[in-house]
Amino acid sequence: MKHLIAGLILSAALAACTPDAPEQSELGAASDTSADASADMSEAPQATDETETDMATAQRPDWRIVIHGGAGVILRENLSDEQEAAYTAALEAALQAGAGILSNGGSSLDAVQAAVLTMEDDLLFNAGYGAVMTADRMHELDASIMEGNQRDAGSVAGVTRVKNPILAARAVMDQSEHVMFAGEGADSFAGSVGLELVENDYFTTDRRVEALDRVLETRERTDADRHGTVGAVAIDQNGNLAAATTTGGMTAKMHGRIGDAPLIGAATYAQNGVCAVSATGHGEYFIRVGVAKTICSRVELAGEGIQTAAENALAQVADLGGDGGVIVMGGEGEFAYVFNSKGMYRGMMDADGTLETAIFEAGK
């Protein structure tokens, strides 16, 4: 009798803890940019508890990659047709770089690295070449990467000479016993493992010089001056998740300022079977909320879908006065874009041949 009662109690507990059905994102879905977090995503069909696991398994793609190129006030009237086309082409190039690895059976870790590496080399984005400048007219770059199987991670903060900070973050993960290096130590470590080092002015572009001069003169930052982080999340054919984030930070930041991009759990997190996250926004607020880990914890412990979990985390950011966005991939490859700003450069590609990009709020 005791065994029977215990079995009934256990069965009831397990049923109560069953998570919601996975949700599927669509770039064309409606988006709300109120004080609460906004989402660019539609609901998946409802499933019963009995069929939920089977549906999730059936829906899991062979592979998928999702990217972002920064969030902020991105309005159609502020982008020319040529600029919009350039950003779209850049997003597609990043997706293709990651998809090329995944389609050949490569790892999600290599895929997210390849995707953000492409954006680090593109002056359109605030990462690597074309990154914003500090108040001291320098470039101090941050990056992080994480895989979901063993939750290995690596990051660098405040590097000034590493051509591609995401490669330095990966080297910290693979070739050291540590998770994070900063400043001169990070640059030295990168050089010691053979990564390409450049002079700091390699990263400088006229666009960023003009932005710095304006901020120093007006003592005010626009939304664009605070944002611009790029990132990627992916799932590979083995079901492994990974995430990567890289940035130049905010225009006219103080020397030594570190945002959320290199912090595991703030902008970047990956855990197999749960979720992978890359964030972009006002880093001080994302650090305080621990956005990436908060999202994954809500999925894992509260049984929330990835959209709901992301909305809850970004609502906390908004309550504190911050804004930005996240890309999230669930344990079965479902994905979401969630942001409480006026736009986010974003895109997705998967094994079905789907390639989608978007810049503005849905419907704008």
Side-chain angles (χ1 to χ4, degrees):
M1 178 65 70
K2 290 181 179 179
H3 294 300
L4 177 60
I5 294 174
L8 291 172
I9 293 173
L10 178 59
S11 297
L14 289 173
C17 294
T18 301
D20 295 337
E23 298 163 88
Q24 176 64 47
S25 174
E26 292 183 2
L27 288 170
S31 179
D32 175 15
T33 54
S34 62
D36 291 334
S38 63
D40 189 14
M41 183 168 177
S42 64
E43 294 287 344
Q46 296 298 311
T48 64
D49 290 344
E50 290 78 9
T51 63
E52 188 171 283
T53 300
D54 291 338
M55 285 183 64
T57 301
Q59 291 175 348
R60 187 178 119 185
D62 285 342
W63 56 264
R64 174 174 284 150
I65 185 166
V66 178
I67 64 171
H68 70 79
V73 178
I74 309 170
L75 304 177
R76 188 176 296 276
E77 55 265 31
N78 294 337
L79 281 184
S80 67
D81 291 343
E82 292 76 13
Q83 289 172 321
E84 182 178 348
Y87 275 107
T88 298
L91 292 170
E92 290 180 355
L95 287 167
Q96 292 282 6
I101 291 172
L102 293 169
S103 63
N104 288 312
S107 72
S108 55
L109 188 66
D110 288 341
V112 295
Q113 175 181 295
V116 299
L117 184 66
T118 300
M119 291 188 279
E120 283 187 343
D121 288 338
D122 193 320
L123 59 77
L124 290 176
F125 300 106
N126 176 18
Y129 175 56
V132 301
M133 306 181 76
T134 69
D136 294 338
R137 297 187 178 277
M138 293 283 290
H139 301 273
E140 297 178 3
L141 313 176
D142 308 323
S144 60
I145 192 166
M146 185 172 186
E147 61 85 31
N149 186 24
Q150 297 297 319
R151 282 186 272 182
D152 286 337
S155 74
V156 292
V159 296
T160 60
R161 297 193 60 209
V162 182
K163 180 182 179 184
N164 290 109
I166 195 62
L167 297 183
R170 178 68 181 273
V172 172
M173 173 183 164
D174 290 344
Q175 302 183 55
S176 83
E177 61 179 321
H178 307 299
V179 170
M180 187 176 189
F181 282 86
E184 292 183 6
D187 282 319
S188 296
F189 172 77
S192 74
V193 297
L195 296 183
E196 183 176 359
L197 302 181
V198 296
E199 296 301 320
N200 193 255
D201 61 5
Y202 159 81
F203 304 106
T204 305
T205 60
D206 291 342
R207 172 191 177 195
R208 302 306 188 185
V209 173
E210 292 169 2
L212 176 63
D213 289 342
R214 172 178 45 76
V215 172
L216 292 178
E217 180 180 353
T218 63
R219 297 293 173 181
E220 293 181 354
R221 290 189 184 94
T222 66
D223 192 68
D225 295 323
R226 292 192 299 271
H227 302 317
T229 299
V230 308
V233 295
I235 188 168
D236 59 31
Q237 294 180 20
N238 295 316
N240 292 314
L241 295 172
T245 310
T246 178
T247 189
M250 65 169 60
T251 303
K253 65 183 180 181
M254 293 183 65
H255 169 62
R257 178 263 186 185
I258 303 297
D260 62 318
L263 302 183
I264 302 302
T268 305
Y269 201 77
Q271 181 178 352
N272 276 9
V274 180
C275 73
V277 179
S278 176
T280 173
H282 197 150
E284 280 69 14
Y285 298 98
F286 280 66
I287 293 170
R288 289 158 66 185
V289 174
V291 166
K293 185 61 169 71
T294 292
I295 292 170
C296 289
S297 291
R298 296 186 75 97
V299 172
E300 180 183 23
L301 303 177
E304 293 180 349
I306 56 174
Q307 178 186 357
T308 300
E311 287 175 342
N312 283 329
L314 286 185
Q316 294 181 52
V317 170
D319 287 344
L320 295 176
D323 66 336
V326 295
I327 52 174
V328 188
M329 184 164 292
E332 296 297 335
E334 68 275 27
F335 69 102
Y337 313 87
V338 184
F339 51 98
N340 59 4
S341 56
K342 291 293 185 179
M344 183 166 71
Y345 300 103
R346 58 202 187 274
M348 182 277 293
M349 191 169 181
D350 63 23
D352 293 334
T354 304
L355 191 159
E356 301 176 324
T357 62
I359 298 175
F360 313 106
E361 297 175 69
K364 298 294 185 179

